Amino acid sequence: MIGTLLTSIKLGTDISSIVVYGLVVALFAALISSPLFQKFLGSRLPFKWVPVPSAVG
């Protein structure tokens, strides 16, 4: 948070605009990196299916 505040002061901008732009960039980075992570590392990571418990008592 201190780095954000110092950057805001140095650039002379509003801190809320820096936070909003940071959230937008983080959202796009997550949307792009998640499928790439699944594609490249998904087949290399061990995965074990867990049976879903039935609701029938």
Side-chain angles (χ1 to χ4, degrees):
M1 185 66 176
I2 292 176
T4 306
L5 185 60
L6 291 175
T7 304
S8 173
I9 292 170
K10 185 161 179 113
L11 293 175
T13 61
D14 193 20
I15 192 156
S16 61
S17 64
I18 289 180
V19 171
V20 169
Y21 289 139
L23 288 173
V24 169
V25 169
L27 177 68
F28 283 123
L31 289 175
I32 291 171
S33 65
S34 296
L36 291 177
F37 178 78
Q38 182 181 6
K39 181 178 179 181
F40 292 124
L41 294 179
S43 61
R44 295 185 180 114
L45 296 175
F47 180 74
K48 188 165 101 176
W49 286 97
V50 177
V52 178
S54 63
V56 178

